[in-house]
Amino acid sequence: MEIKGNTILITGGTSGIGRGLAESFHKLGNKVIIAGRRQALIDELTASHPGMEGLRLDLQDAKAISRFAEAVAEKYPDLNVLINNAGISKMENWKKGEVDIQVVNDIIQTNVSSVIQLTAELLPLLKKQKNATLITTTSGLAFVPLAAAPTYSATKAFLHSWLQSLRSQLEGSVEILELAPPYVQTEIGGQAQKEDPRAMPLQEYVDEVIELLKAKNTPNSEVLVERVKGFRQSIQTDEYENVFNMINSMFTV
Ligand SMILES: NC(=O)c1ccc[n+]([C@@H]2O[C@H](COP(=O)([O-])OP(=O)(O)OC[C@H]3O[C@@H](n4cnc5c(N)ncnc54)[C@H](OP(=O)(O)O)[C@@H]3O)[C@@H](O)[C@H]2O)c1
């Protein structure tokens, strides 16, 4: 993708990785539109970054996604980059039977169904543009699952597969990039994750991603920082079992 001069919509732009990317892309000279549920954060970010805009979006609501896509197409006819970044995660204890199907469905809706819907609804607009790019945030857990978070890990594996198919079908019209973060200090796992020294500092992660994008250093259209490469390459390097055991000893239910 081109690193500047884009009109970029970022879901999950109110916090964590999405917010970090929004701020960096804004600084680089892109028109950035952030989306999320928390209006106060949208207001705060757009006020402190002149030119940045924001729209409220609840990805749990399929009808709202359609209305949102229509509004985006009307307001931002130059939109050429969609970053599907919003996501939620929750541990599930299958041993004790502590599995809330509503929560499971919420994870699937936010991490998968809404991504498919929003992409499908904005694709006609993206396809009209010269430098159209779709970036979707998966995870290192797309390649090696965290047993304590079966649905979350599976949603990311789903996206990894889905993106490969889209890349094949849309070759020549839309660039399809996969952003697979390692464990990063954000609030997705609560305050503890934000302060966990084992997690990658957020700004460090965002800066490394921007450097990879600038250098077009995205082999196989995957944006992989050094810290996540062990996950991605574990099958090829015969390290799968070691990586699996390592992460699954760190986090259990
Ligand atoms: N941090 C990590 O260790 C890590 C590792 C691998 C992958 N990831 C992925 O990175 C992405 C960003 O997560 P993060 O770590 O930056 O966590 P985060 O700080 O919790 O950010 C999640 C974002 O998603 C938005 N969101 C959640 N539910 C939504 C909904 N129903 N409708 C609209 N927006 C919604 C939130 O905005 P509102 O609350 O304002 O709606 C928020 O901006 C996710 O896809 C996550 O799976 C994170």
Side-chain angles (χ1 to χ4, degrees):
M1 76 176 283
E2 296 306 320
I3 202 73
K4 57 182 174 194
N6 303 291
T7 302
I8 306 177
L9 170 65
I10 308 183
T11 70
T14 49
S15 67
I17 293 168
R19 179 179 177 132
L21 290 174
E23 290 175 333
S24 291
F25 278 123
H26 176 77
K27 212 192 262 173
L28 283 162
N30 296 281
K31 171 84 193 168
V32 174
I33 304 119
I34 54 166
R37 290 164 301 181
R38 287 171 289 179
Q39 188 65 47
L41 290 178
I42 293 175
D43 293 344
E44 178 209 314
L45 262 163
T46 51
S48 55
H49 296 80
M52 191 185 284
E53 295 187 35
L55 289 174
R56 206 181 166 275
L57 169 67
D58 184 355
L59 293 164
Q60 289 290 328
D61 181 345
K63 287 197 180 113
I65 297 173
S66 293
R67 287 195 299 272
F68 173 85
E70 271 174 35
V72 166
E74 201 179 306
K75 202 162 174 205
Y76 307 105
D78 295 334
L79 185 85
N80 71 315
V81 179
L82 168 62
I83 306 184
N84 285 315
N85 166 77
I88 53 171
S89 174
K90 184 99 174 126
M91 303 284 197
E92 296 156 27
N93 190 332
W94 286 75
K95 279 181 295 190
K96 288 193 185 156
E98 290 168 356
V99 181
D100 183 337
I101 292 303
Q102 184 56 52
V103 172
V104 167
N105 286 335
D106 287 351
I107 298 172
I108 295 170
Q109 171 63 27
T110 302
N111 296 10
V112 173
S113 306
S114 79
V115 173
I116 297 172
Q117 185 187 347
L118 188 61
T119 303
E121 295 187 342
L122 286 176
L123 202 54
L125 178 62
L126 292 178
K127 276 168 145 177
K128 285 187 196 158
Q129 321 294 355
K130 217 168 74 194
N131 292 312
T133 304
L134 173 78
I135 302 180
T136 301
T137 307
T138 64
S139 168
L141 302 179
F143 311 108
V144 185
L146 178 64
T151 304
Y152 175 76
S153 301
T155 61
K156 298 303 184 176
F158 179 111
L159 290 177
H160 173 67
S161 169
W162 180 75
L163 289 168
Q164 290 174 70
S165 302
L166 252 62
R167 193 172 294 130
S168 170
Q169 287 202 33
L170 297 171
E171 195 183 352
S173 64
V174 182
E175 184 180 10
I176 309 286
L177 293 174
E178 174 174 358
L179 187 71
Y183 184 41
V184 178
Q185 288 175 341
T186 71
E187 61 193 44
I188 193 166
Q191 193 59 24
Q193 178 165 340
K194 219 173 167 179
E195 292 164 4
D196 191 340
R198 298 170 300 179
M200 186 169 186
L202 175 60
Q203 197 56 50
E204 218 175 275
Y205 174 67
V206 170
D207 290 347
E208 197 174 334
V209 165
I210 295 293
E211 285 313 309
L212 291 171
L213 292 174
K214 270 187 190 163
K216 298 195 189 296
N217 184 5
T218 53
N220 302 317
S221 300
E222 293 169 4
V223 187
L224 303 173
V225 299
E226 284 305 319
R227 279 207 196 199
V228 84
K229 285 185 177 168
F231 282 75
R232 178 66 181 100
Q233 294 160 357
S234 63
I235 295 176
Q236 293 99 310
T237 56
D238 243 8
E239 281 295 312
Y240 187 87
E241 210 176 318
N242 288 339
V243 176
F244 185 90
N245 290 336
M246 184 267 294
I247 55 162
N248 285 296
S249 62
M250 278 169 69
F251 305 94
T252 50
V253 280

